[in-house]
Amino acid sequence: MRRWIAPLVLLLVVVAGTDASAQTTKPSRPFSFLTAEWERELNLVESELNNALLSRRSPEELRAVVDGVRDRATSAKLEAEKNVAAIEQFLQALGPAPAEGEGPEPPDVDEQRAKYIADRDAFHARVAQSELAITRAEVLSRAIAEAAQQQIFEKLLRSYPSPLAPRTIRIGVADFIGYVAALARSPLQWWPVLSPEARSKVSFRLAVLLPLVFVAGFLIRYFLLRWLGRDSAIAAPTYTRRFTGAVAEGFASGIVPALIFAGILFRARSERALLSGLFEDVIVAFCLVMIFIVLAWALPRAVLAPELPAWRLTPLSAKNSRAVSRRLAILAGIFAVDIFLRDAGESLMVSPEMLSVTGFILATLESLCAIDLSRHRFWRGHDDVEGEFGEAEDAAKPEHPWTFWTGVRQLTALIAIATIASALLGYIALAQFLIYNLLGSAIVVGVLFLLRGLFRELIGAALRSTFLHRNLGFRHGTRQLFKLWFRALLDVVVFLVGCFLILTIWAEPFGDIWSSTVGMLRGFTIGNVTISMTDVAVAFGIFAIVTVLTRLAQRALSERVLPQTKLDSGLRYSISAGLGYVGITLAAVLGIAVLGIDLTSIALIAGALSVGIGFGLQNVVNNFVSGMILLVERPIKVGDWVVVGANEGFVKRIQVRATELETFQRASVIIPNSELLSTAVVNWTHKDRYGRIEVRVGVAYGTDTRKVRDILLACARQHDKVLTWPEPFVVYQDFGSSSLDF
């Protein structure tokens, strides 16, 4: 049980690097002492690993020793490499040694060069010795992992007597009665050995301190529920209010009592405690059981709210909420009995027959509860309604489509069935492994579900704040888009964290996933390149932050600053676009710098790729350079009325590869930037917004031409876009086939 409780603490993990004491050029003791110490520790681990029966340390303790040696050797290696780099700079400052025939260099320079070369060789030797220790530590770490894995498999596949055999039942029941009797006698055996002073202390704690603690816990619970708890008078509370009420209910009814029993547990485990022997194990097991029971009873009720449907956080119906709450309480009670029987008598010798019988009964009951809870009808948002013949109307509906949660429920049922089969065949440890980890996975899923709801609500509340709306100028559509992406990112993070924690719970027989993941976060080497996932995450974070700040600066510049100037719209767009390019470039450079990538190597790679770019990406590069020229030279600008070939319309935006043109029919035409520079472009509004438009009008033969002229001039002069100078005029143009053309 304790094995899968630990991963829950990993919901908020901060991976911090520790700076080991570095080896300087003048260490406090010779480096050979350090290498001898590393070798002595590794030799001791290797001897204990080869003689597992004589080893007094667990695989975890051996791995801790090996990891300590590897960390110290890595620190020494890094420090030696720094010293080598510093000495190389000194040697470069001295210049190359004189070649043959050039004559000797000054004695002091020659002496200094020899000293630097000797120090460099010594630090090179330190690097080699450190790498040797690191390699040996990694080999031993893999050997320890293999040994631990073998021990776990041997434990899981250990066969106990059949729990249904008459002899097993007879011996197991008799031993169980004796086991319970020994636990019941433990207080009577503990009390007489106490001194009178110790008895008075125990009596004072039981009569005064313990009631005070429970009274304080009751008062805290009362005020929490009164201030933040659920109010039955509120018919339709918001999600924030429902979540606050659920948190208050869970904290008051679950966390507070659990903390009280955790304090008693801590006190019982302290050196100044008056408990001892078997009774101490009983009290510790009792506290663990009570912590588990209060949490398993209070937290589901806080989420499901079976008595107050309006305050429920899940879409379950009232009937299903009550059913799920009852079944979870029954399952928690069975697990509590299992925990107490296993932990209360750790110091007692238990027969295999008793383990087989009790393990089979408890694992079967727990599995049956899990199978019952995995049924689909308990997780619906509506109650089943019985039809005319007493059958549920839902049965006549088409079968519910397969979903992710359907697969989870089916997998839960399969694991529970496998648990019963394992216990029936006598593999009690395997059955306990399956059912305990199934419960741990369910707890992880439940906790992550609550945290997901909390953070989704916090994202919504943050994006609804007046700060984003008034101060930063985020429109409603922009805030909705941010909320969509942030919540999608949250779902991805919750899914990945859940997968990692569940894999950690189930990965005990298959290696240490947590250690491997931490190693990957610290860095793994491929060839001569070391990749650190932490650095990659920080680099992406910096890139995203700088990009967002650039977009905010672009928006402020284009909407607040530049409109107050007398610059035309095209120049304003060019300035804003240039700021965007500078920001993206700065974000990329900062991200690369955080990753520790040498820019000279990138320059070499870029030079090597330039030939391929010249041939394979010629058009892309041509359009990119053309876009830069358009933004700087500005033969066309955003808002210009242009004619490019058969396309005519307004320039909407000039991007890196192409320019978007919107025609008068509101169709978007994407024109490559290189085409705008290599072909003739008619720009009606290049210098100013003035231009002459010729409107062709045909009238029938015999029409009064003077009247036509007067009507056309009147139409032109009444239009608010037509200038008075140069004034409009009418010209008779041609005798058409069926009209007079003006």
Side-chain angles (χ1 to χ4, degrees), residues 619 622-623 626-627 630 636 643-647 657-659 669-681:
N619 290 333
N622 187 13
N623 289 323
S626 299
L630 291 176
I636 62 172
V643 180
V644 183
N647 302 306
R657 188 194 66 84
T659 296
V669 180
I670 309 301
I671 303 173
N673 292 329
S674 59
E675 185 176 339
L676 295 174
L677 293 182
S678 60
T679 60
V681 178

Side-chain angles (χ1 to χ4, degrees), residues 608-630:
L609 293 177
S610 60
V611 178
I613 291 174
F615 289 100
L617 302 177
Q618 184 177 5
N619 290 333
V620 176
V621 176
N622 187 13
N623 289 323
F624 174 76
V625 176
S626 299
M628 296 296 103
I629 294 174
L630 291 176

Side-chain angles (χ1 to χ4, degrees), residues 317-379:
S317 65
K319 179 181 178 181
N320 289 338
S321 296
R322 290 191 294 270
V324 171
S325 298
R326 287 195 298 267
R327 282 161 174 80
L328 288 176
I330 294 172
L331 180 60
I334 298 172
F335 266 103
V337 173
D338 195 353
I339 295 172
F340 183 79
L341 291 179
R342 189 186 65 251
D343 293 347
E346 287 184 345
S347 59
L348 297 177
M349 296 297 294
V350 180
S351 65
E353 289 79 7
M354 174 187 160
L355 288 176
S356 179
V357 173
T358 57
F360 171 73
I361 294 174
L362 292 172
T364 301
L365 293 176
E366 293 160 354
S367 300
L368 291 176
C369 289
I371 293 173
D372 186 33
L373 281 170
S374 64
R375 287 191 291 174
H376 173 64
R377 71 182 186 90
F378 287 139
W379 304 101

Side-chain angles (χ1 to χ4, degrees), residues 42-62:
L42 295 178
N43 288 337
L44 184 59
V45 170
E46 185 175 7
S47 63
E48 292 191 33
L49 191 62
N50 293 331
N51 300 281
L53 296 177
L54 301 178
S55 177
R56 297 182 179 179
R57 292 186 286 186
S58 63
E60 290 75 15
E61 294 173 336
L62 296 178

Side-chain angles (χ1 to χ4, degrees), residues 4-161:
W4 51 259
I5 293 178
L8 298 180
V9 186
L10 302 179
L11 290 175
L12 183 61
V13 177
V14 178
V15 180
T18 56
D19 295 331
S21 56
Q23 302 298 318
T24 60
T25 55
K26 293 183 179 180
S28 58
R29 53 178 175 165
F31 192 76
S32 58
F33 286 5
L34 295 178
T35 56
E37 182 179 350
W38 299 342
E39 185 176 2
R40 183 173 61 255
E41 293 182 7
L42 295 178
N43 288 337
L44 184 59
V45 170
E46 185 175 7
S47 63
E48 292 191 33
L49 191 62
N50 293 331
N51 300 281
L53 296 177
L54 301 178
S55 177
R56 297 182 179 179
R57 292 186 286 186
S58 63
E60 290 75 15
E61 294 173 336
L62 296 178
R63 186 183 290 116
V65 174
V66 172
D67 290 343
V69 172
R70 181 173 53 193
D71 293 341
R72 281 176 284 163
T74 302
S75 177
K77 174 189 172 184
L78 294 176
E79 188 64 28
E81 289 175 345
K82 290 180 182 179
N83 289 326
V84 169
I87 292 173
E88 291 289 352
Q89 293 181 354
F90 294 151
L91 290 174
Q92 290 178 3
L94 290 178
E100 294 183 1
E102 293 184 358
E105 60 183 349
D108 53 347
V109 176
D110 182 67
E111 180 181 355
Q112 193 69 27
R113 186 188 303 278
K115 181 179 180 302
Y116 284 145
I117 292 175
D119 291 342
R120 183 189 61 186
D121 295 340
F123 282 114
H124 274 307
R126 292 190 181 188
V127 171
Q129 291 174 320
S130 300
E131 290 179 346
L132 178 62
I134 293 171
T135 303
R136 190 179 176 193
E138 291 176 350
V139 171
L140 284 176
S141 181
R142 289 193 294 268
I144 293 171
E146 293 175 359
Q149 182 177 351
Q150 182 179 0
Q151 291 180 4
I152 292 173
F153 273 111
E154 291 176 354
K155 176 183 177 182
L156 292 179
L157 298 180
R158 178 186 175 185
S159 178
Y160 288 83

